Amino acid sequence: MPAQEKQAAYIKISESLAEAWAETRPPEELLPAIGEEFARRADERSPGSGRDLEPVEEKILDAGELEDISDQRQVLAERLKLLPGETLSRMQVNAAKSRAVTAAGEADRIERRVEASFGQFDKSEIETNGMLEQSQKTRLIGQLEVAKKEHLEDLKAADWLLSPEASVPELQRQKMADRAFAFLDDVEIDRDALARRIVETKGVLPEAYATGLRRATRSSNPEHIRRAYENLARVLELAPQSTILQGRGGDLVDGFEKWTLLTKRYGLSPEEASVTLARGNEPVAGQNLEEAFDRQFPHLEAKDLVGQALRELLPPADTRFSEEPGGLTQLPQSDENHSRDESE
């Protein structure tokens, strides 16, 4: 092989080996080294190719010489001198992308640890983390401080719930109940029992629990509907409806009225009533059901369904819904209405 071809092949192999070695270095080390190499070439007004700066033979270090260099940054700098500007630019872009991905992953990992530790996380681990950008460190430290404050507020709310003598201003009761419920609600606790405890001791229904009940009552699954109304009934045994459901929208009150009418006045079992209301959540059948209730009870508005008025309004009856193709179309008459029709 002619000497010129050998020289070209040698240069190519040297570049490939230098690039392969350099890419083993972590992005946080490689990026500044590439920047320094570009700056060196600019200062020497080089055309941009490492091979144009010095003879190749003077740049190649053998294994023994590399071992004598204890500072890996110096080894990296020597390797980068062998690479063309185009190769350096490509490596710079790839290293920047890799570092961004690594930093994002590291930030996510720390965020999860901060959350899992309720803010009990050593701030110095963030400050000294070499994989994070300064902006990420600032953001994570801010989140850590917020997590610490939130945890103290959670403990305060839990203590308020567990201490019978503890009290807060009336306007803060809902906020404290919501925070205590969110803090204590996990897979190891019965959330229905927890909600009843809050209602019984503090007279407040957690908003998250009320939202869950409301969502379940709109379901097309009868079992979800049955459990929701049975749990709501247990809650309303502990405190007046006007207090518990105030400001939560009329749909939960209206739905519970229908449930109570079906199970108390018309004698439907909870299973039968839940099937009826599940069908009523469908568009066509739901409209028919609403019309049937409106005809039967034109003046029914937000009765207190746990008091004496309920027992007077809903005497026991052994009757059932009438059904026709297309959905529920009429309610059975009560004994009183039935007697009136017979006398006429």
Side-chain angles (χ1 to χ4, degrees):
M1 178 183 295
Q4 188 174 4
E5 293 183 8
K6 287 184 179 180
Q7 178 73 0
Y10 186 66
I11 291 175
K12 187 66 175 177
I13 293 173
S14 298
E15 290 177 357
S16 297
L17 292 175
E19 180 180 357
W21 186 90
E23 288 185 333
T24 65
R25 310 311 300 165
E28 58 270 20
E29 179 182 335
L30 183 57
L31 279 171
I34 293 176
E36 291 171 4
E37 176 59 18
F38 275 132
R40 185 187 72 82
R41 296 183 184 189
D43 289 342
E44 297 185 6
R45 302 185 183 280
S46 164
S49 172
R51 71 184 69 168
D52 295 327
L53 295 176
E54 305 172 47
V56 173
E57 294 86 344
E58 297 180 10
K59 293 183 231 177
I60 299 298
L61 300 177
D62 60 30
E65 290 174 315
L66 288 175
E67 289 180 358
D68 292 338
I69 300 178
S70 59
D71 189 347
Q72 290 296 302
R73 290 175 297 180
Q74 185 179 347
V75 176
L76 177 58
E78 292 295 328
R79 295 298 192 190
L80 294 180
K81 289 179 181 180
L82 304 176
L83 300 177
E86 181 180 351
T87 301
L88 287 177
S89 296
R90 185 182 71 252
M91 292 175 61
Q92 187 179 46
V93 170
N94 291 339
K97 290 180 179 179
S98 177
R99 181 167 185 177
V101 171
T102 300
E106 181 68 3
D108 289 343
R109 185 184 69 83
I110 291 178
E111 282 186 11
R112 291 192 295 269
R113 289 182 61 189
V114 168
E115 182 179 0
S117 67
F118 301 103
Q120 306 308 303
F121 186 84
D122 188 355
K123 184 170 69 172
S124 65
E125 289 192 38
I126 299 175
E127 295 171 330
T128 60
N129 193 313
M131 289 185 286
L132 297 174
E133 301 291 345
Q134 185 56 47
S135 60
Q136 292 174 309
K137 293 180 180 181
T138 301
R139 176 174 60 82
L140 289 170
I141 290 174
Q143 290 179 349
L144 176 60
E145 297 302 322
V146 170
K148 288 180 179 179
K149 293 179 181 179
E150 288 294 308
H151 184 56
L152 291 177
E153 291 297 319
D154 289 339
L155 293 177
K156 181 179 177 182
D159 183 65
W160 168 76
L161 174 61
L162 300 174
S163 303
E165 67 279 2
S167 61
V168 295
E170 187 66 28
L171 294 178
Q172 295 184 23
R173 292 172 66 82
Q174 185 66 57
K175 180 180 178 180
M176 292 289 281
D178 292 343
R179 182 177 284 276
F181 183 78
F183 179 59
L184 298 173
D185 182 24
D186 58 35
V187 295
E188 298 180 358
I189 196 170
D190 183 340
R191 70 194 319 262
D192 298 314
L194 174 61
R196 290 196 296 272
R197 169 65 184 270
I198 295 175
V199 170
E200 184 175 20
T201 59
K202 303 302 180 181
V204 184
L205 183 66
E207 181 59 39
Y209 186 75
T211 299
L213 291 178
R214 187 180 297 109
R215 185 183 303 112
T217 62
R218 296 170 179 170
S219 170
S220 58
N221 187 318
E223 180 63 18
H224 293 172
I225 293 174
R226 181 186 65 79
R227 287 202 303 266
Y229 283 124
E230 288 181 345
N231 282 320
L232 181 56
R234 295 188 185 100
V235 166
L236 294 178
E237 290 175 356
L238 304 173
Q241 174 183 315
S242 57
T243 299
I244 296 302
L245 299 181
Q246 182 179 10
R248 300 188 185 278
D251 54 343
L252 200 55
V253 175
D254 181 65
F256 188 63
E257 287 178 345
K258 291 181 175 63
W259 167 264
T260 308
L261 290 169
L262 295 177
T263 56
K264 301 298 183 180
R265 181 157 192 171
Y266 294 108
L268 299 185
S269 67
E271 291 73 19
E272 291 171 322
S274 61
V275 169
T276 297
L277 292 176
R279 292 182 59 190
N281 285 335
E282 300 171 0
V284 175
Q287 183 178 355
N288 292 337
L289 184 61
E290 288 293 334
E291 292 174 353
F293 271 108
D294 290 342
R295 287 194 301 270
Q296 187 74 7
F297 304 102
H299 304 296
L300 182 63
E301 291 184 4
K303 303 293 184 183
D304 189 342
L305 300 179
V306 294
Q308 180 66 28
L310 172 62
R311 290 189 287 273
E312 296 174 353
L313 176 66
L314 307 173
D318 188 21
T319 54
R320 297 290 185 270
F321 272 99
S322 298
E323 298 187 21
E324 294 181 6
L328 304 164
T329 58
Q330 70 178 77
L331 294 168
Q333 291 183 330
S334 65
D335 293 341
E336 178 183 350
N337 289 341
H338 184 65
S339 299
R340 184 183 300 113
D341 289 345
E342 288 182 345
S343 64
E344 294 175 353

